[in-house]
Amino acid sequence: MTAAAKVRRRDTTTNYWIGKYFDTSLYHNGGTRWLCANGHFPQADGSLQTTDFTDEELASLLQKGFAVKAGNGFRWNVAGFTEAQFAQFTALFDLGDRSDETLLRWIRSVRDAFASFVPKRLDGQINQWVSSYLSGLAGQVTEELIRRGVLWGPQPDRPLTDGIFYVAGKYIDP
């Protein structure tokens, strides 16, 4: 078993439903933080200049799934957007204010349900429980979408990088 697989296995025991899709090596120890600190950003065309990396760094990018072999060279395996491209992409998911209101009402109803049985002295901990509960639900939905073939899951030999991307330009604060 690879070190990355051991990390993923450990992560799944702490937060079963969604933890298996989050591999800390993607963010630390040569992950996104290192890429940003060293000015290595995916280009919108996917090109990857191997001369920018040592052999060890390139091997790490391949192992983590940030890069893949393409013909005689390599390409980024994470999306790179310009600001305009990212604005167009995110506009595809704009469902209007109504969906946000529905979601917020649902989250509030879950919090109110917890507040109905949690002792008042522990009220400050309710949001943590609600967050964990709803995260688990999001993970179950993800699992069902993978089972139905709507989404694909991680490959067994490397971390899932599908949710990692770079936007050139101004800082975007989610």
Side-chain angles (χ1 to χ4, degrees):
M1 181 181 297
T2 67
K6 287 178 184 175
V7 169
R8 281 195 301 281
R9 179 168 288 165
R10 185 176 63 242
D11 286 347
T12 63
T13 60
T14 58
N15 194 349
Y16 173 74
W17 288 107
I18 207 79
K20 63 182 142 188
Y21 304 115
F22 179 82
D23 189 320
T24 57
S25 70
L26 294 176
Y27 306 97
H28 307 287
N29 303 323
T32 56
R33 289 181 184 208
W34 177 83
L35 289 169
C36 289
N38 290 284
H40 300 301
F41 305 111
Q43 302 302 307
D45 67 357
S47 64
L48 186 145
Q49 300 301 318
T50 56
T51 55
D52 293 343
F53 301 96
T54 66
D55 289 345
E56 293 81 15
E57 292 167 347
L58 187 56
S60 177
L61 291 175
L62 291 167
Q63 181 184 26
K64 291 179 192 310
F66 285 123
V68 292
K69 184 94 168 107
N72 293 332
F74 301 92
R75 69 172 176 78
W76 285 103
N77 193 39
V78 294
F81 293 96
T82 64
E83 282 184 61
Q85 290 170 328
F86 190 68
Q88 288 176 323
F89 176 70
T90 57
L92 296 173
F93 300 95
D94 185 6
L95 301 176
D97 293 340
R98 206 171 110 191
S99 64
D100 289 346
E101 290 172 16
T102 302
L103 183 59
L104 290 173
R105 275 195 313 273
W106 177 64
I107 292 169
R108 173 54 74 182
S109 71
V110 171
R111 194 202 188 284
D112 291 346
F114 270 85
S116 72
F117 63 83
V118 171
K120 293 289 182 208
R121 72 181 189 286
L122 301 176
D123 187 71
Q125 297 177 18
I126 292 175
N127 288 347
Q128 295 168 24
W129 282 100
V130 170
S131 175
S132 178
Y133 175 78
L134 298 179
S135 252
L137 185 57
Q140 291 174 39
V141 169
T142 301
E143 288 290 316
E144 182 60 19
L145 292 173
I146 289 170
R147 187 188 71 74
R148 292 181 184 189
V150 176
L151 297 176
W152 59 81
Q155 297 177 11
D157 60 334
R158 71 174 186 223
L160 183 67
T161 58
D162 291 359
I164 297 175
F165 58 90
Y166 168 74
V167 180
K170 68 180 182 182
Y171 176 75
I172 294 180
D173 187 4

